[in-house]
Amino acid sequence: MQTILEPRTMQAWADATRARGERIALVPTMGALHEGHVALIAEARRRAKRVVVSIFVNPIQFDRRDDFERYPRTLEDDAARCAAAGVDVIFAPSPRAMYPEGFQTAVEVAALTAPLCGKTRPGHFRGVTTVVTKLFHAVRPHLAVFGEKDWQQLAVVRRMAADLDFGIEIVGVPTVREADGLALSSRNRRLTPDDREAARCLPRALDAGAEMVATGETRPAMIVGRAKMEIAACPRARLEYAEVRDPETLEEVDEVTAPVLLGVAVWVGEVRLIDNRLLAPAEAERESARLAQGGAARAPDGPPKTREAERESARAGRRGPGASEARSAAEPREHWTGPRDR
């Protein structure tokens, strides 16, 4: 494993690797790696010959200076994790290397960045899409792997990659959780013991919303209200948002008739945590079970067929009859908007 610090050196490595006909997978991170990142690396290794992990705490995606300064930086430990996971290259540029003097360009996605985290973190996604664009140009990957815990980020990156014709496959990996359900996050390191206990209200809120949908509730307001009750029951937690959204467009939904996204953002002490859950109504769950009975073999380069079939069925249901064919003609299947596995 080698560590590369400069974009041009990274580009030279990528060009030589591509010339040998080897596929490159990129796992973009801000360091402080945990088992969730290891899962991303494992998926990258499954899909490509060479794996690059970028470690860069991106200053332009933080809306608060103190949050940027407190973000954990553990490069030595991260390097050990990467080596154990079989990473080929760590790309760890400095802020000056990424944003040299006079830098004044930004990349921005419009509608998908407006709701959820975009409402309360102005400029955050502009910083994300700008740095991901620069990482793509430096590493020149065939595919890039992101976690579904940051569902909105994944949707935004998919949209950007499609709109700007990057020709890079964007792969989503399900959230990795601790034994009590809390989603793994680098920010968890900043939680005090009491705050860590309080943070369990996030998975409880998601579980409560999922239970309501599974038992027939279709009104978003009722589902959100139940999730909010779980957050409100924890005095150390402060709700930022809890919303039900279409998992692809992130638009509001009037009724839960197909799988929807329940997204939450909560402050626990001085730490902001986000999480989400796909909620499938009872009818969709029955359809999934029916498909599963017909076999759930994993394709050579993709997720279980039943999961993809369920998501395609949900997409067709939301768009209406004939929309699937129309959209297929309008844009490539692999770049449809919205986080979904390939």
Side-chain angles (χ1 to χ4, degrees):
M1 186 181 73
Q2 64 184 112
T3 299
I4 295 177
L5 304 178
E6 297 292 333
R8 289 187 179 180
T9 307
M10 187 71 252
Q11 288 171 344
W13 180 92
D15 288 343
T17 301
R18 279 177 165 265
R20 294 193 299 270
E22 297 175 349
R23 280 170 61 82
I24 302 170
L26 168 65
V27 181
T29 82
M30 292 203 299
L33 304 186
H34 49 67
E35 288 303 311
H37 295 109
V38 173
L40 303 184
I41 294 169
E43 184 65 15
R45 173 60 66 199
R46 190 179 74 82
R47 292 171 176 262
K49 176 70 173 179
R50 302 296 178 190
V51 175
V52 177
V53 171
S54 65
I55 297 177
F56 179 64
V57 183
N58 179 34
I60 67 171
Q61 73 183 65
F62 286 82
D63 55 319
R64 296 181 299 115
R65 181 70 186 180
D66 64 313
D67 192 24
F68 170 69
E69 292 174 347
R70 292 178 184 176
Y71 198 87
R73 292 162 172 82
T74 58
L75 185 57
E76 186 174 340
D77 290 343
D78 293 344
R81 276 189 180 270
C82 286
V87 171
D88 295 282
V89 174
I90 292 176
F91 178 44
S94 66
R96 182 176 293 275
M98 292 294 278
Y99 307 116
E101 186 176 354
F103 186 90
Q104 52 186 295
T105 301
V107 178
E108 191 163 9
V109 174
L112 283 171
T113 64
L116 302 174
C117 291
K119 287 190 299 187
T120 55
R121 303 189 70 189
H124 167 71
F125 286 113
R126 182 173 62 247
V128 169
T129 46
T130 299
V131 75
V132 170
T133 296
K134 289 184 67 66
L135 292 172
F136 284 175
H137 285 309
V139 179
R140 300 181 180 178
H142 296 83
L143 64 103
V145 184
F146 294 81
E148 290 184 353
K149 183 182 78 69
D150 297 293
W151 188 280
Q152 186 175 17
Q153 173 180 274
L154 178 54
V156 168
V157 171
R158 282 193 189 280
R159 184 74 268 163
M160 179 188 74
D163 288 351
L164 299 185
D165 302 313
F166 276 108
I168 297 171
E169 180 184 2
I170 308 301
V171 177
V173 173
T175 303
V176 178
R177 299 181 179 276
E178 298 191 31
D180 61 2
L182 184 67
L184 289 177
S185 170
S186 300
R187 296 181 186 275
N188 292 354
R189 300 184 184 210
R190 293 175 49 198
L191 295 170
T192 67
D194 288 342
D195 288 342
R196 173 61 184 80
E197 176 67 21
R200 297 173 62 189
C201 68
L202 275 82
R204 286 200 300 267
L206 298 177
D207 288 344
E211 182 179 352
M212 291 194 74
V213 172
T215 55
E217 180 59 69
T218 63
R219 295 167 293 179
M222 297 300 292
I223 298 163
V224 167
R226 182 67 184 85
K228 287 182 175 179
M229 286 176 60
E230 289 292 337
I231 305 299
C234 179
R236 301 184 73 89
R238 184 174 81 256
L239 179 71
E240 184 173 288
Y241 68 74
E243 299 183 21
V244 169
R245 295 271 173 169
D246 181 284
E248 289 191 26
T249 66
L250 301 185
E251 295 174 351
E252 293 180 327
V253 297
D254 296 325
E255 185 179 9
V256 179
T257 57
V260 296
L261 181 77
L262 173 59
V264 297
V266 175
W267 287 86
V268 182
E270 297 299 316
V271 181
R272 181 181 184 271
L273 301 174
I274 63 172
D275 204 348
N276 65 75
R277 180 78 55 82
L278 277 178
L279 309 182
E283 183 176 347
E285 290 284 10
R286 286 193 294 270
E287 177 65 11
S288 178
R290 185 188 67 78
L291 290 169
Q293 290 177 358
R298 178 177 287 275
D301 190 30
K305 293 179 181 178
T306 54
R307 184 176 185 184
E308 179 62 20
E310 178 184 339
R311 292 187 178 184
E312 173 54 25
S313 175
R315 283 192 295 271
R318 283 192 297 271
R319 294 193 297 267
S324 180
E325 292 78 7
R327 188 159 190 171
S328 293
E331 60 181 351
R333 182 182 181 90
E334 63 268 28
H335 290 313
W336 288 1
T337 308
R340 61 181 177 88
D341 288 345
R342 288 288 318 251

